[in-house]
């Protein structure tokens, strides 16, 4: 089993991510996965050169990501599988 955790935090922003590969006995099944969560608060003022400072609007970008790829051994060096991705 191979797994990696990554966590980055800058000021008010953060990214948490895990990626990995699970090999089941005899490599009958292999699961590759990625799971992440992003959080980035920011501000928006307006578009164009005439944007005024008092038009400041706060917003927060949040993203959840899930990816899975399950493979089953069909014969030596040949695998078939399914992928799932959610964002």
């Amino acid at each position: 089993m191979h797994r990696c955790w990554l966590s980055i935090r800058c000021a008010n922003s953060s990214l948490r991510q895990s990626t990995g590969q699970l090999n089941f006995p005899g490599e009958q099944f292999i699961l590759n996965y990625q799971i992440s969560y992003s959080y980035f608060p920011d501000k928006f003022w307006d578009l164009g050169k005439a944007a005024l400072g008092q038009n400041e609007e706060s917003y927060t970008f949040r993203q959840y990501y899930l990816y899975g790829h399950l493979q089953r051994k069909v014969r030596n060096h040949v695998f078939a599988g399914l992928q799932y991705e959610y964002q």
Side-chain angles (χ1 to χ4, degrees):
M1 174 170 83
H2 303 284
R3 183 176 19 191
C4 176
W5 278 98
L6 170 67
S7 183
I8 300 173
R9 184 160 175 80
C10 301
N12 293 327
S13 306
S14 69
L15 166 67
R16 300 187 196 295
Q17 178 174 332
S18 173
T19 59
Q21 176 176 314
L22 300 173
N23 295 321
F24 293 88
E27 282 195 336
Q28 289 300 312
F29 290 94
I30 298 174
L31 175 64
N32 294 301
Y33 66 90
Q34 181 176 347
I35 302 166
S36 68
Y37 169 73
S38 304
Y39 172 84
F40 296 99
D42 208 347
K43 296 181 190 237
F44 177 77
W45 283 268
D46 207 344
L47 296 174
K49 295 179 182 178
L52 302 174
Q54 68 262 26
N55 290 342
E56 179 182 305
E57 182 178 334
S58 296
Y59 71 94
T60 301
F61 171 77
R62 284 190 172 97
Q63 178 180 355
Y64 300 90
Y65 180 74
L66 175 64
Y67 167 81
H69 184 192
L70 180 64
Q71 303 169 70
R72 185 181 198 287
K73 184 188 262 183
V74 178
R75 49 183 219 202
N76 280 344
H77 308 291
V78 179
F79 291 83
L82 300 170
Q83 283 184 299
Y84 176 78
E85 186 171 5
Y86 174 79
Q87 202 171 49

